[in-house]
Structures are given as C-alpha cells and as structure tokens.
Amino acid sequence: MSTDPNMFRLEVREWLDTNCPEEMRSPMSSEKDACWGGRNFIFQSEAQRLWLHRMGEKGWTAPDWPKEYGGGGLNREQLKILNQEMKRINARPALYSFGISMLGPALLKYGNEAQKLTYLPAIIRGEIRWAQGYSEPNAGSDLANLQAPAVDKGDHYLLNGSKIWTSYGDVGDWMFCLVRTDPDASKHQGISFMLFDLKTPGITVRPIKLISGRSPFCEVFFEDVKIPREQQVGELNKGWSIAKYLLTHEREMISWTGLSRTGSDSVSKTATQVIGKTGDKLDDAILRADIVRFEVDEMAFALTIERARDEVKAGVSLGAVSSWFKFFGTELNKQRYNLLMDIHGSEALAWSGEASDDGKLARDWLRTKGNSIEGGTSEIQLNIVAKHILGLPG
Amino acid sequence: MSTDPNMFRLEVREWLDTNCPEEMRSPMSSEKDACWGGRNFIFQSEAQRLWLHRMGEKGWTAPDWPKEYGGGGLNREQLKILNQEMKRINARPALYSFGISMLGPALLKYGNEAQKLTYLPAIIRGEIRWAQGYSEPNAGSDLANLQAPAVDKGDHYLLNGSKIWTSYGDVGDWMFCLVRTDPDASKHQGISFMLFDLKTPGITVRPIKLISGRSPFCEVFFEDVKIPREQQVGELNKGWSIAKYLLTHEREMISWTGLSRTGSDSVSKTATQVIGKTGDKLDDAILRADIVRFEVDEMAFALTIERARDEVKAGVSLGAVSSWFKFFGTELNKQRYNLLMDIHGSEALAWSGEASDDGKLARDWLRTKGNSIEGGTSEIQLNIVAKHILGLPG
Amino acid sequence: MALVLTEEQTMLRDAAKDFLGSRAPVLHLRQLRDDEETQGFSRELWTEMAEMGWAAIIIPETYGGLDYGYTGLGLVLEESGRTLTPSPLISTALLSSSALILSGNDGLCEQWLSQIATGEKLLSLAFEESAQHRPASVTTQAVSEGDGYRLSGTKLGVMNGNSADAFIVTARTRLSDDPCEGVSLFLLPANADGVKIETTQLLDNHRSSTVRLDGVFVSSDQLMGPLHDGYPILKKTLDRGRIGIAAEMLGVAQESFDRTLQYLKERKQFGVPIGSFQALQHRAATLFGEIELCKSVVLKALQAVDENSDDIALLASLAKAKCGQTAKLATAEGIQMHGGIGMTDEFDIGFFIKHWRALNQQLGDSRFHLERFARLRAY
Amino acid sequence: MALVLTEEQTMLRDAAKDFLGSRAPVLHLRQLRDDEETQGFSRELWTEMAEMGWAAIIIPETYGGLDYGYTGLGLVLEESGRTLTPSPLISTALLSSSALILSGNDGLCEQWLSQIATGEKLLSLAFEESAQHRPASVTTQAVSEGDGYRLSGTKLGVMNGNSADAFIVTARTRLSDDPCEGVSLFLLPANADGVKIETTQLLDNHRSSTVRLDGVFVSSDQLMGPLHDGYPILKKTLDRGRIGIAAEMLGVAQESFDRTLQYLKERKQFGVPIGSFQALQHRAATLFGEIELCKSVVLKALQAVDENSDDIALLASLAKAKCGQTAKLATAEGIQMHGGIGMTDEFDIGFFIKHWRALNQQLGDSRFHLERFARLRAY
C-alpha cells in the first residue's frame, strides 16, 4: 500500500468498497452480532464469514502488527486512516478476539520466533478463539497466589489444579494460562505462561451461573494435562512479568465501563418518562436530588475521560490512573443501575416473562455488582492509586 | 439520713428547700453560669458560692462517694431520688469538676489511703480545680506514645517535657498527669500517674487558639518540675491501667454530643424559617433532601441512645459500643452545623460584628470539626468497633 | 415502654430462630426456586408456622388469635428475614389481618380471621395501580348495583396473589377532588366471576400478581369499613405493613452482615485474613452502627403500634426508609466483600440483595418514605 | 479544543505559581489578618499582580487588556486558591470586567477597563439582596428622573465593597411578572451621594459589604446594557464568575490535599506513617479522583467561555457544584487527617476550610447549582 497518507486513504476506501459486504456496513444490533471466530463459532451469515476471511487475509484484523506474522503492518497514521474509513461506512469489526486484544501483544513481546509464526497468523485469521487462565478459586485479589502446578516432565509439563472466571471457556479453542512451575520459589517467582488446546485430554470445563443468571464465565479443571514444552512462552518461572503486562492492558479496557450507556437514554430522561413531571420538575423530589448528583458525576467523569484521551494524544502516559478510572467507572455504573431499578419500581422486580424480557433490567442490575470485583476489585484499585500515584507507604 | 426511700425523699426535699438559694433554682442560661470551684474561680454571686459550700459540706457534689472521704454515701436508689428532687426544683449543679467526673473515680480505685484522705474531700468541696495531662504534641492518637520523663530522685521525681490539649490548664489548680518513669520499657509499660500543683516552679502554661478562636485548651511545659514521691498514684510504671480506666469514662461522656441540640430548633425548622416554604415544602428541594436524610439519622440515633439507656438500666453493659456512639454522634454534629451554615447563606460567613454575635455560628461550625478528633478520633473509634465488637483481626 | 425486649418476647424470637434455622434456612428458598414451585413458598411450611402460632400473633383472642401484638410479629419477621423464608407472613398474617381488624367489620373478621389464624386461608391486599407506590391513586371503579357493587379495574403487584383465597381491594365509590376520599375497601373472593389473575416470578422468587377485575360483583356485606372512607384504614394498614417489612429488612441486613463478617475473618488474601484490612474494618464498623440504628427504629415503631401511639406514621416512614437504606448497604457490601464468589449463584449471599430489592420496593421505597417523613414534619 | 493546556498557558500557570508562592503564600493572608488590615487584601500586592498582567487577562486589547481569555485567568485563580491569596481578582478582574465587556457599553468600557487593567481602579458587583443567592430577586428601584435615575435599595454580600471605586448595580426599572425582566444594570461611583457602605469581616478574612442606596442619582450614561434587559448580562457575568470561583476552589482543594498527603507521609503513629493505614489510603485515593474530576470540569468550562459555547451555563453549574463539593471534602479531610494540630490556628490547614466555605457560598452554593443543573437538563 502507498506510504503517502492521501493515496493510502484512497486505496483503503477502494478496498473496503470492494471487499466489505453490504450486510457488514451497519452497526451491530446486539452482542450476538459479534464475530468471535475459532473452530466452534457458527457464522450468522455468509457475509460475516467472508468479511472475517478477507480482513484476516489482509492482516487488518490486527492492522498494526508486523506483516511477517500476517498483520497489517500499518503505522500509526495509517491505522488512524483505516479506522476512519471503516467508521465512515459503518463497517463492523470483522473479529472480536482476546487473541488480538490480549495474547497477541504478549506474544509479540515475550514469544519466541517459532511461537510468533505459529500463533499470530492464526489469531489474525480468527482461527483460534482464546480463553484466559489466570484466576484460581483460592487466589482472589491476590492473583500471584496461584497454585495450579505444572511439573516438568522433559518434553512436556504435566498440569493439574483449576482455573476460575475463564470467559468463554466453554466455547474457546485454546487457553493462555499462568501455572506454577516452581512451588518452592517466592509467590511472584515460579510462575510460567503456557498455551494449550482446550481439547487436550484431562480438561473439564464447567460454566458458572451468576446471581444474574447465565454467564460466559467458566471454571476449568486440569487432571494430568500434558503441555508440550514448546508451548511455554517467555522465560521459565518469569511468567509474572507477562501477567502484569496483560493486566495493565485489561484494566484500561474495563475502565470505560462507566460510560457504557452510549446509545441509551440518560437516567434523568428515563425518570421523566417513567415517573413524569409536575411543571418542569421530576415528580419525585428526593430521587431528583439523587439523579442530579449522579449526572454531575457522570458528566465530570465523561469529561475526565475526554481529558485523559487528549493527554494521551499529547504524549502523557495514563499509567496507574487507569486504576482510578476502573474504580470510578464501575462504581458509577452500579449507581446507574441502582437508579434505573428504583425508577422502574415494581416492574423492575420481574425475573421472568415476556413483558420484562425475562427480567433483563433486574439481571443487568445484578450483573453490575460484579463490575467492581472483576478485573481487580475496587479495593485493589484504590490500593494502587494510594501507592503508585499518591506514593503512600505500606 | 433515712434508709427508707420515702422518708429519704422527704428529707432531701426539705434540705433542698432550706439550702438551695432561690437564684440557683433555674436552668443555667449559658456555660458561663457553671461553677468550677478552685482557688482561681470568681463566683458570679453569693448564692453560687453558698450553694457550692452547702452541697460540698453535705457531700452531695459527689453523692455516691463514701462518707469517710467526705462524699454523700448514697446508694443507687438514694442517688436517683436526689437527682429527681434536684430536677424538680430546677436546681443547678453546684459544681462542675473533672475532679469528680474523672480523677475521683480513679483515686477511689487506685489511690492509697493517704491520697484519698488528702484529695477527695478537697475535690468534693470544690477547692481544687483539676486539669488533665495526657496528650503530648507527638503522641496524637497513639496516646501511649507519651514521652514526658519523670526521673526518680529519691523523695521526688523530676519532670520535663510537655502536655497538650489540657482543658482549662490556665485556670486549673492541680494536674493529674501521665508521665514516663521507665524510658526503656515497652510503650505501655513505664508510664506512671502523678498529681501536682500547677504552681510548682518550672511549669509554664500557654493557651491554644483554635481555628474557631479562643479555646479552653492549653499547652503545658515542664522544666525540672519537682513532684513529691507521695503524689504518685497507683503502682509505679503501671499508670497505663489508670489511663485506660479514665479514657473509657471520657468516651462515654462525649458520646452524647450528637444530640446536643436540646433546647434549640431542629434543622428543618430553622430551614423553613430562614428559607421559607412554597406550599408545604421547603423552598430548596436539594437541601430538603439532605435535611431529611440528616433528620432520619438524627432521630434513629436519638432512639438508639434511648435504647442503650434502657439496656443499661436492664443491666446490659455498654462496653465498646460507646466508641460507636462517640463516632456517630460527632459525625452527626458536624453534619448538623454544615447544614446550619448552608441554610444561613452569606450571613453565616460573618466572623465579627454584633449582628453575628462575633461570628458565633461560623465559629461553632469550625469548632465541631474538632469533635471527631478530640477524645479519640473517629478512626480510632472505628478501629475499636472493628476489633472489640466485631472481633476482626489485626 | 422501655426499648428492650421482654423475657417473653426474647423467648418468642429464640423459638422463631430455632424453627426457621432448622426448617427453613436459605437452602429452603433455593430448593423452592430450583424446583420451580409456582407459589413461591411452601404451603406445608406455612401450616407448621401457623401451628407455631405465627399466623395468629396480632389477631385478637375473640377471633381465635393470640393477641400478642405487633412487636411479637416483628420479631418473627426479623428472623424470617435472616433466613429469607418465603411465606404469607406479610401479605396475610400482617397486612390482611391488620386491615380486617382495623375495618371493625365484625362479620368479616369472624369469617376470615380464625381461618387465617389456623393457616387455612390466605388473603392479599390488592391496591397498587402503578409500578410506583401510590396508594391514593385509585381508578378501580365500584358501581352500586342492587345489594352490592360491580368492580372494574386492574391491581398490580399483589403479593402472593396466586395463592390468595380472597383479596382486599380498594375501589372508588365516589369521585372527589381529594384522592384520599371516596375510596372504599372490599373483601373479594379470588374465585369470584370476572377475576383474572396473572402471576409473575420476582427476582427473589416471590410471586406477585396482576389482578384484573372485569365487572366483578360483590355484595354489600363484603364492604370493609365505612363506605367512601376506606382510605384511612388502608393507610393504617400500610403503616403496619411498612414496619413489618422494615423488621424483615433488618433481619436481611443483619444476616447478610453476619455472614460477611464471618467471611472477612476466614478468607485470606496476601497471607492474612481480609478482615484485617483497615478499609474493610472501617466499612464493617460503619455498617454495624447502621444496623444498630435500625434495631432501635424497628423496635420503637413496633412498640408504637402496640401502644397505638400518634407517631406510628412518622415511625413507619423512619423505619422503612432507614432499614431500606441499611439493608441496601449491607447486601451490597455483602457481595463486594465476598468478591467473585459472592457473584455466583452457588453462594447464598446473592439471595439477600435480591430479597432486599423486593422488600425495599414494597409499600414505598426509601425515597418515598424520606419524602413522607419530611411532609409529616411539615417541611 | 483539546482538554490540555497549551504551552503558553502552562507558562502562565507556572509564572503564577512562582509569583504567588514567593510573594503571597498563606503566611501573607495570616499577616493581613493578624495586622487587622481592613481591606482584607494588600493593595500593594494587587499593583504587582496587575504588573504581571493578571488584572488585564480577559480585557480586550482595545481597552488596554491582554485579551488572553478566561482559561488564562482561570489558571491564575486556581493558583491563587492554592495560596489563599486575597485580591480583587474575582470581584474586579473577573466579574466587573466581564460585566463591562458583556454590556457592550463602549463609553464605560473605555473609561473603566483600562484603569482596571493597570490595577488603579477597583469595581464590585452589587446585586444580592438576601443571604441566599437569588440574582433575579431585585427589589432595588431605579426611578427615571431627568437625564438619569434615582436608585433606592440595599445590596448585600458585596465582595470587597469597601475597596471599590464603583459598583455595578442591578435595579428594577420596570415591573414585570417575570422577575428576570425589567432589571437594568448601572455603574455607580462608590462616592456618589446617598451611598452608604457597611463592611463585615468574613471567616476567611475577606471583606463583604452591605451597600445602601438612598435615592442615589445616576446619569443615563451610567446605564450598562439595554434598559430593562440587563439580567441576561448579569446572568452571563455570573456564570463566568462561577467558573472562576470553581477554578479557585480547585486550587483550594488541590493544595489542601497536597498538604494533607504530605502530612500522611510524615506523621507517625503506632510506629508507622499514618499514610500507611488503608482506611486513610482509600479516602485519599477517592479524594484524588474527585480532584481529577474537578480539573476536567474546570478546564472544560473555561474553554467553553473562550469558545462562547452554548453550554456555558450547564458547565458553570457543573463546575461550581462539583468543585464546591470536592473542596468541602478536601478541606474537611484536611483537618480530620491532621488531627488535633489541624484544629489549631497556628497551623495553616484551617485557613483552607474557611476560604472554601466563603467561595462555596458565593454566586450560589453547590446545591443551588445542582438544582440549576437539573433545570437546565429539563428535569
């Protein structure tokens, strides 16, 4: 492709025009429209399959990854142009993938050449759907307290133990996983990073039901699972560095949750519609006072995200502040759903039936309670702010 | 006096009728009407002097202390009757005294016979006004971290260092004081409890100005102050037990602060008077929401105090719950004054001048900020609740 | 009255704790849910509860009750909040019995109260007409016809509506500028012609019904309380219900807190119990205090009903508002402090937040009662 | 406009920080107070500040100003909030200049703005008539007489009223059902016949005056903006003032927090720095975040004024409400976390809570702006 930005833009536009199927040129109507790829994925349409195939071949599912591993090889400016052009025609993302958002960057940084050549192209083409194997039932916030032992058996490791909170563990193909390879070393030492096929004998996957109902989370059990030595990434016993690298990444992704109402009505608008107004004021004075406090915070938070983005553009690194974003954004989201439940009164209590879409609001509300737990609890985020931003001791 | 309750009541009534001066039979109009006794006290009236003298001679300034030390020697039932009869005629307390409320109980428990005979009668007659010497500038919440050294010189100790937050240190006669007698022992060991005259050479007293203006608090400096050996109370180096005994006492006294509005208007009434109503609602909807939340807590707290009193009457000990009362009561009081300041708008900002009574409201508001610090900070109270009521570790 | 329990009351509470702990712990609710039992509670268990006398606590002796007062019933409700035991305690034993007693209709009381007391019959109040709690907003019409009335309208959020043998219904018998006037109360058998019941499973697995009345005929002797002036009875009934729900929320808050406290002591992170972290300690200590406040307001409110005090309305709103807020905090902290495990259905703590949500909503949520508290205090 | 400072703006802020830090730290305020200086600020310092250009930042070049915009002035205000430096920055350089510029009265602008820019003249707004902020509630009368008007009424809470050379006054020139109509603005020399000024020392040692107008004559050329329609100018002026005060409160909050943070690191209790206690850490972390929110809303609001955006009113209320709440928390935590020493006058931290209290009150407190935010959002 051309190195001249204007030329590049024209080329992108033309390629999209030719290759992006018409059905893929509209915003997704729900999460169900997302294409996750992998061997278990059932395409919703031929257009969806084609769009993934073409984008994958082009390397544009991972547009800024090196060409040698199948990526798009675009520079920063080109990446921006591609995004703009895709947005212009409302093109849907061709692929949602933990492989691209999480594992890939870690492989690029820590993987050896053979691993890069094996996994990155397959990730880019959407052939492997990845599951994450970090948390363990007894670790909780103390992630490094993981136990699942992988014992060195020469050409392979033998893995036991279990993982919890593995998203899409039941529909994923492979897992990237933290395991304990030296039980005698201190907590942060002795951890290694490994990849393996979830079809490997000895693996059992059990979906987790949440208080809100079904969930994508799973518990994954290992019983003498053989992992070939070449599937261990980075230095042996130094997996914690990779984990930290990935976690920072994850936190930044979650931190924007507080603004997740994009497209839906504001709390105050919902309230006036459901409860009504007398004159120009909402019919419930106490609720109104609570809503305005919430919306002041919501707007201040939106502006703070805007400011953070502008600062990142201006070259300032977000760093540990992302912990505060995660904290505040998830707390705001919990508040939002508390208010929405309050506004809808007894209607919000329904758990099943068509009228309530099987209790969607109540289930969504319950689900938000997990926001301040998953991806590092609010308490952990505040600890990080206190120590790494404020420099408080202990 | 008679042991028959009915007879006793008649006798008390008669005695009060004869001995309580007419001027002492009305509620105090301000703090200035309180009689503190001691050699520096200037009586406001002959009636005040007479009332103290008569009550002191009778031992009824300390009605339940043993007769042998000049106390009233009354039992529980008689004490109740005396209180009822005094209330019946609106008799003012004859004496306000840290000697009676704090030092006396400690002397009765820990003092030797000579000390009891020396100090208790004088306390009862209001002849000595006591100041408390606990806190030190570098100790803060960690009270046991006190340093003021008292070195054993045979027949006396030589005291140096300083004390802070001594109420009425500038008008008091004597001090009861925690000093360090063994600098090598662990923090809670090596503390002793001593009494001394504030006129002893080497003592300097400096009043402390607070953010609200003048205060009864003082800083007291010691330079080679001689304390005769017989003025050391309880076992040497075991003064911390006496301190703890006194602190529990103090906390229970402070804990009712949250209800200190007795006699003045409720926040909501003040608000409606100052701001006005439209229809039946206060003219500021957001303020109204905040006031109602406050008044719900205020009423719930009042009922909880009522319940605690009833439980104490029923024989349940208050124990560590007094820490929670201290915490919640002082937080409520801070809220109350925040609201009152808000309600009075720009008028509340005045700091001097007649119209504002020299900025009384603003100064009172600032003074409340200290409520959650003095007598053990809110943080310390919550620590106590967590450990001693909830049994949380660490 | 001193704000402490009498010995007899303490015994009643202990008996309730024993019975519910052994016969109907949280597992009982879980099983009802997993078995998809459609009533949302066990009729068998209700019979046992009635045998304990709980269906009869507030019913006067003349009608076969124990005449033991609201304080007693409140203690049982608090305990049933701890175990999240679903039952018609609120809908029948508290609300419907109160309405009957307050109505002063001796005939209806004789007919129904003794059968409520034995657990044989169940009644429910049917008075809400919107998703928000607006008891005075009654559009259901009662048109006089012969020796009775014809009722038409729709009632929402009827607790245990699908188990009820009869409903206590509000209907407008006369138009008036003041919505509180012209409302009458009727006792309506559930199987009367023209009654249609649609039932919804709620998030806490309780059942709530929409009751549609399509020209249902009731005879005049089914009128409870004075014609056109039934609202005062409803209001008094609701205040008793609010206090009872507050007592149940106190139990929900207390049990949620106790379980969380236990977890804080047991669960280790970074090599120490998480309960040793000061930030959690301070939150736990604050929550402890809030629950102490609730204990006082609930007991005071219950005693006020038994003393027929003038402050019942204010205390009912105080109790409902304060216990609603506290149980909200206690159940939310329950999940947060349990961490991931608290989010799983397998663990019981999530049941508490669900039940809090339903209880808080019923008969006016915390904000409704803050608003009412301010109005009763004239600001 | 990106929500980051330009290089030039950063330089201005750094210069302000240097100047105020060396010439007018908190000690300066303390000395003014202890010396019982009756103006509440140093006229000498104001001359120096004017030499730095700060009195002229928002004034157009045609009137001898720098035309550097509100964002620049906001940065200086934020820094002066950090040092608690008393000055006529808000009353004259921000509010009075804004009113003059917005009035479009070229004659008055020429006459006054250049002298404001040099620091020679001081003006103050005189518009409040009650202890509560109710700018539309104007009872001061202006009766037409000859080539002018006679003004009678009482204005309260006039900032730096005893130092002002002239007042910008609201007066009712026509009765109207809508209180926002029929109000005119006049520029009134402080030494005009019939003007009586009574001044009060405030808790933060600033000065606030009551200005009594007893049939004061002003000529028609002292009319600012259109006759009967001065309220829109006042409203716009106030929004600029609110944003400026929000910027100053941000400085108050930030400095109070910085000092407290420092104290948390230094002060030891039980053998460790108190900043190692997790409960304090979480409170500090929360406060850190609140201040981050304030930084964003203040910058956005300042930029909105410079861009003449449609959202100025909403952003002004957002900024005033949010910064008021945050500075309240920051200054209260400042005292609580400093413990006993924080309560002493000897220590500086108490000055911050006093100044917050006055700033929060001026031009509408947090609740006033929450109310307004809701109204602007139509609920």
Side-chain angles (χ1 to χ4, degrees), chain A residues 12 95 97 100 102 114 184 233 265 275 307 338 370 372 375 379 391:
Chain A
V12 168
L95 180 64
S97 161
I100 285 169
M102 307 196 68
D184 301 324
V233 179
D265 282 336
I275 295 176
R307 181 164 66 87
N338 271 329
S372 50
E379 289 78 11

Side-chain angles (χ1 to χ4, degrees), chain A residues 261 266 268-269 272 277 280-282 288-289 291-293 295-307 310-311 314 321 324 327-328 378-383 385-387 389-394, chain D residues 1-4 257 261 264-265 273 275-278 280-282 284-286 288-297 299-300 314-315 317-318 321-322 325 367 369-375 377-379:
Chain A
R261 70 170 185 84
S266 68
S268 58
K269 193 169 173 197
T272 54
K277 295 203 271 188
D280 49 2
K281 287 189 184 178
L282 182 67
R288 178 171 175 269
I291 290 178
V292 70
R293 287 212 155 87
E295 291 197 342
V296 157
D297 277 346
E298 185 185 49
M299 188 169 177
F301 188 58
L303 289 173
T304 304
I305 287 179
E306 185 183 330
R307 181 164 66 87
D310 287 345
E311 282 175 358
V321 184
W324 177 78
F327 161 73
F328 200 82
S378 281
E379 289 78 11
I380 291 288
Q381 309 305 335
L382 290 177
N383 285 348
V385 171
K387 294 199 175 65
I389 301 179
L390 306 181
L392 290 170
Chain D
M1 207 180 293
L3 276 177
V4 285
F257 181 57
L261 204 54
L264 289 179
K265 291 176 189 175
S276 64
F277 292 116
Q278 198 198 28
L280 297 187
Q281 290 191 345
H282 281 199
T286 307
F288 158 82
E290 294 294 317
I291 293 173
E292 286 300 307
L293 295 176
C294 289
K295 288 181 188 168
S296 318
V297 302
L299 185 54
K300 185 76 178 183
L314 187 73
L315 288 166
S317 281
L318 174 68
K322 189 71 203 167
Q325 291 169 342
R367 290 194 195 89
H369 289 287
L370 290 175
E371 177 68 36
R372 189 165 175 253
F373 185 92
R375 264 188 291 120
R377 284 238 172 141
Y379 64 94

Side-chain angles (χ1 to χ4, degrees), chain D residues 353-372:
Chain D
I353 201 167
K354 291 175 180 177
H355 193 44
W356 158 72
R357 172 53 78 178
L359 290 176
N360 186 55
Q361 176 58 39
Q362 281 154 20
L363 311 192
D365 67 5
S366 291
R367 290 194 195 89
F368 177 95
H369 289 287
L370 290 175
E371 177 68 36
R372 189 165 175 253

Side-chain angles (χ1 to χ4, degrees), chain B residues 150-330:
Chain B
V151 179
D152 193 339
K153 295 287 181 184
D155 67 337
H156 68 273
Y157 297 91
L158 215 52
L159 177 64
N160 279 282
S162 69
K163 291 290 172 181
I164 196 169
W165 305 121
T166 302
S167 301
Y168 304 109
D170 51 345
V171 289
D173 304 319
W174 277 59
M175 173 176 271
F176 52 96
C177 188
L178 292 172
V179 301
R180 186 153 299 278
T181 37
D182 183 351
D184 302 323
S186 73
K187 198 166 68 173
H188 293 90
Q189 308 300 322
I191 292 172
S192 299
F193 191 85
M194 298 194 178
L195 315 176
F196 50 84
D197 193 323
L198 284 164
K199 276 192 180 154
T200 317
I203 298 179
T204 324
V205 178
R206 193 171 67 94
I208 295 173
K209 194 177 160 193
L210 293 184
I211 58 174
S212 48
R214 287 196 44 178
S215 84
F217 294 119
C218 295
E219 207 167 349
V220 183
F221 301 91
F222 309 118
E223 204 184 326
D224 289 338
V225 178
K226 273 190 187 177
I227 305 174
R229 175 172 285 276
E230 62 269 24
Q231 290 171 205
Q232 184 247 309
V233 178
E235 271 185 75
L236 189 68
N237 293 328
K238 295 275 184 278
W240 185 243
S241 320
I242 309 183
K244 274 196 300 183
Y245 177 76
L246 278 171
L247 282 173
T248 310
H249 216 70
E250 190 184 0
R251 199 181 301 131
E252 290 184 15
M253 283 174 58
I254 298 178
S255 68
W256 320 107
T257 316
L259 292 175
S260 67
R261 73 172 182 82
T262 326
S264 64
D265 281 339
S266 70
V267 171
S268 59
K269 194 171 173 194
T270 305
T272 53
Q273 282 165 354
V274 173
I275 296 175
K277 295 203 274 187
T278 301
D280 50 2
K281 285 189 184 178
L282 182 66
D283 258 344
D284 182 332
I286 312 272
L287 176 64
R288 178 171 175 269
D290 290 342
I291 291 178
V292 69
R293 285 210 157 87
F294 167 77
E295 291 198 341
V296 156
D297 276 346
E298 186 185 48
M299 189 167 175
F301 188 58
L303 290 172
T304 305
I305 287 179
E306 185 183 331
R307 181 165 66 88
R309 284 183 176 146
D310 287 346
E311 282 175 357
V312 168
K313 274 185 211 154
V316 180
S317 152
L318 209 53
V321 184
S322 61
S323 284
W324 176 77
F325 278 105
K326 201 278 178 182
F327 161 73
F328 200 83
T330 56

Side-chain angles (χ1 to χ4, degrees), chain B residues 61-81:
Chain B
T61 50
D64 56 348
W65 290 9
K67 267 196 178 272
E68 55 203 291
Y69 306 123
L74 304 190
N75 63 30
R76 208 164 160 164
E77 190 171 14
Q78 289 172 323
L79 178 65
K80 201 170 152 186
I81 291 170

